[in-house]
Amino acid sequence: MRPDDLPEMRELEPFKSMREENFAELMHAAFLQNFPAQVQLITEGDHADFLFVVIEGCVELYAQANGREAVLAMVRPIGSFILAAVMKDAVNLMSARTTGKSRILMIPAQNIRAAFEKDDAFARAIVIELAGYFRAVVKEYKNLRLRTAVERLANWLLKYHKDQGAEGMVELPYDKRTLASILGMTPENLSRAFGTLKPYGVSVNGGRVKLDDLESLEVLAKPNVLIDERTT
Amino acid sequence: MRPDDLPEMRELEPFKSMREENFAELMHAAFLQNFPAQVQLITEGDHADFLFVVIEGCVELYAQANGREAVLAMVRPIGSFILAAVMKDAVNLMSARTTGKSRILMIPAQNIRAAFEKDDAFARAIVIELAGYFRAVVKEYKNLRLRTAVERLANWLLKYHKDQGAEGMVELPYDKRTLASILGMTPENLSRAFGTLKPYGVSVNGGRVKLDDLESLEVLAKPNVLIDERTT
DNA sequence: ACACGCACTTGATTTTTGTCAATTATGGAA
DNA sequence: TTCCATAATTGACAAAAATCAAGTGCGTGT
């Protein structure tokens, strides 16, 4: 790949802080691939051979055990995944599949690690990146431990409502079965959770959710910066 | 503090990789404190002013919301906590309290960040440290999402059984209410979970648990390296 | 338009987990 | 030792969530 094919990559942490020559070298080793929907990119337990960067489309990170499956996160442009496994030269803890047509940059793990050894600024940027990832999972964990399913949905709605301009409307970014799994519940339970939120001004119409009474929804949800805030 | 007061600190990642002068400087800025049991060391939401290193004793990391409380982790010698918050110069996502008499090293956050800027090897060691933390939380998250309470207990027993020499006996390292919270259940439920494990050769006597039928316990638990292994 | 498949919903039921209350250990301190 | 506070257990019950089984609705392709 040519280093200037993806100017937005250069703007992305942790690549922003890299020395030009190291960035160029990394990009030369990388592959930019187009994938259709529902392609398995990595499987949990496999060795992490690439760092993945989602340039376009959407990727679902999930895990399986005991006949159960859980969606752990969705990665949208421009976001990377399995950085921790790459840095530790270890196996993936999650699987990944595209949920729609996607354009994905694959950077060989050994090149990432080589750049990490060579480029001090890159190494430091990765610290901040990983610290952010760590804190994001801790928040997800707290969300699951400290809230019921209805509370998780209510807070999810408030968060995405703010993201989407806070105009009394939330557009669901994925289908409901995926949303249910992200929120740690079954699709049936998500339907019912929407039902219990009706008295709080929440009305669903396909992928559109109308929020008519934010005050009472917030009373129910009790949003918490130490769980819901993305940047904190 | 004198740099040679704690030789074991020097052996600990990420301090092992530090240049001698930087380590000495860090240690000079640090405080070694003795705390009795049940002392609140940090509170979630407060700014992270110190990196904590448990030298002796035990510290409980926990979080609260919606009138609920969850123990997220126990830190034993020699382990550190809130590294991510220190690196990001952010607020703590968890609270911490001593569970018994403890000796704790407190290193001012700005000194950690200064050493991080100055010492390239230290910066790189922190990457590995944080990547390990990240993967540990992901495993905890998967444990919670993909297993029932009884399965979590069964796997916890198998893990600690191996830790303690695999001699058919597990000594509980903390009281049962704490263990219950670590496993994401109520104390009442933990009692009942021990009850359901009785047919699988599990018998409890105070803080001692006897495992008489590891084979059938493993059939029930279905241990998974991508959840239960500490190092992977 | 029609039929088909699929996502979603709804209802009935079970399982799992939490809550409340009452007992029963258990481990110091006097 | 006895007493006391606390931890742990047990039972009855309630709530939350999962499961199973129909249904409904909706968009696509023919």
Side-chain angles (χ1 to χ4, degrees):
Chain A
M1 239 210 65
R2 305 275 298 282
D4 50 351
D5 275 356
L6 292 169
E8 61 270 61
M9 272 285 303
R10 193 67 170 119
E11 288 308 303
L12 180 73
E13 287 294 0
F15 302 103
K16 197 153 115 186
S17 356
M18 268 183 125
R19 283 212 310 278
E20 189 55 44
E21 61 205 275
N22 294 327
F23 181 71
E25 202 174 317
L26 210 56
M27 288 303 105
H28 273 292
F31 310 87
L32 186 59
Q33 291 256 30
N34 288 306
F35 294 100
Q38 297 300 328
V39 171
Q40 179 95 0
L41 298 172
I42 58 177
T43 302
E44 52 178 322
D46 287 358
H47 185 262
D49 295 320
F50 295 93
L51 176 70
F52 290 78
V53 183
V54 182
I55 305 296
E56 264 178 58
C58 188
V59 171
E60 186 179 76
L61 303 182
Y62 65 100
Q64 291 168 317
N66 300 9
R68 275 153 268 188
E69 176 174 317
V71 175
L72 307 178
M74 302 292 293
V75 187
R76 295 182 162 282
I78 298 185
S80 66
F81 56 95
I82 54 160
L83 179 57
V86 166
M87 293 319 303
K88 293 208 79 172
D89 198 1
V91 299
N92 301 312
L93 293 180
M94 333 186 204
S95 302
R97 68 166 83 93
T98 57
T99 60
K101 271 188 58 173
S102 300
R103 177 183 290 256
I104 287 166
L105 186 69
M106 296 167 64
I107 312 174
Q110 60 258 45
N111 294 83
I112 292 283
R113 287 191 295 269
F116 166 76
E117 291 301 335
K118 241 191 306 196
D119 194 315
D120 297 329
F122 182 55
R124 290 198 173 81
I126 288 179
V127 166
I128 303 306
E129 192 79 355
L130 281 174
Y133 285 173
F134 172 78
R135 289 168 66 83
V137 199
V138 169
K139 286 173 203 162
E140 273 311 310
Y141 187 74
K142 287 172 64 175
N143 193 33
L144 201 58
R145 285 286 304 270
L146 297 168
R147 285 174 172 158
T148 65
V150 173
E151 288 169 341
R152 293 197 295 276
L153 173 59
N155 281 292
W156 187 94
L157 286 171
L158 290 170
K159 174 151 75 176
Y160 278 78
H161 178 247
K162 207 197 276 178
D163 283 357
Q164 296 180 7
E167 293 172 339
M169 209 71 185
V170 179
E171 189 91 33
L172 303 184
Y174 6 78
D175 59 19
K176 285 179 186 148
R177 52 175 295 108
T178 305
L179 177 59
S181 187
I182 289 170
L183 292 173
M185 58 183 108
T186 57
E188 294 95 327
N189 240 317
L190 177 63
S191 276
R192 290 182 186 111
F194 272 124
T196 37
L197 289 183
K198 205 170 284 175
Y200 300 85
V202 177
S203 44
V204 190
N205 197 308
R208 297 175 180 284
V209 182
K210 200 149 61 76
L211 307 184
D212 289 328
D213 187 352
L214 289 169
E215 288 75 24
S216 79
L217 188 59
E218 293 202 347
V219 169
L220 174 92
K222 295 181 254 344
N224 181 326
V225 289
L226 301 178
I227 300 178
D228 306 296
E229 213 65 59
R230 284 216 174 75
T231 53
T232 309
Chain B
M1 237 209 65
R2 303 275 298 282
D4 50 351
D5 276 357
L6 293 169
E8 61 269 61
M9 271 287 301
R10 193 67 170 119
E11 289 309 301
L12 180 73
E13 287 294 359
F15 302 104
K16 198 152 114 186
S17 356
M18 266 185 126
R19 283 212 309 278
E20 188 56 45
E21 61 204 273
N22 294 328
F23 181 72
E25 203 175 317
L26 210 56
M27 288 303 105
H28 273 294
F31 310 88
L32 185 60
Q33 291 257 31
N34 287 306
F35 293 100
Q38 298 298 328
V39 171
Q40 179 93 0
L41 298 171
I42 59 176
T43 303
E44 54 178 320
D46 287 357
H47 185 264
D49 295 321
F50 295 92
L51 176 70
F52 290 79
V53 183
V54 182
I55 305 296
E56 264 179 57
C58 188
V59 172
E60 186 180 77
L61 303 182
Y62 65 99
Q64 292 168 315
N66 300 10
R68 274 153 271 187
E69 177 175 315
V71 175
L72 307 177
M74 302 293 292
V75 187
R76 295 183 162 281
I78 297 187
S80 67
F81 56 95
I82 54 162
L83 179 57
V86 166
M87 293 319 303
K88 293 208 78 170
D89 199 0
V91 298
N92 300 312
L93 293 180
M94 334 185 202
S95 302
R97 67 165 85 94
T98 57
T99 60
K101 269 188 62 173
S102 300
R103 177 183 290 257
I104 288 166
L105 185 69
M106 297 169 62
I107 312 175
Q110 60 258 45
N111 293 82
I112 292 284
R113 287 191 295 269
F116 167 76
E117 290 302 335
K118 243 192 304 199
D119 193 316
D120 297 329
F122 182 54
R124 290 199 172 80
I126 288 180
V127 165
I128 302 306
E129 192 79 357
L130 280 174
Y133 286 173
F134 172 80
R135 288 167 68 82
V137 200
V138 169
K139 285 172 204 164
E140 273 310 311
Y141 187 75
K142 287 172 66 175
N143 193 33
L144 201 57
R145 285 287 304 270
L146 297 168
R147 285 174 172 161
T148 65
V150 174
E151 288 168 341
R152 292 197 295 275
L153 174 58
N155 281 293
W156 186 94
L157 286 172
L158 290 170
K159 174 151 75 176
Y160 278 78
H161 178 247
K162 207 196 277 176
D163 283 357
Q164 297 180 6
E167 295 172 338
M169 208 72 185
V170 179
E171 188 92 32
L172 304 184
Y174 5 80
D175 59 20
K176 285 178 184 148
R177 51 174 295 110
T178 305
L179 177 60
S181 186
I182 288 170
L183 292 172
M185 58 182 106
T186 57
E188 293 95 328
N189 241 317
L190 177 63
S191 276
R192 291 183 186 110
F194 272 123
T196 36
L197 290 183
K198 205 169 285 176
Y200 300 85
V202 177
S203 45
V204 191
N205 196 308
R208 297 175 181 285
V209 182
K210 199 148 62 77
L211 306 185
D212 289 327
D213 188 353
L214 289 169
E215 289 74 25
S216 79
L217 188 58
E218 292 202 347
V219 170
L220 175 93
K222 295 181 253 342
N224 181 326
V225 288
L226 301 178
I227 300 180
D228 305 296
E229 214 66 59
R230 285 216 173 74
T231 53
T232 310

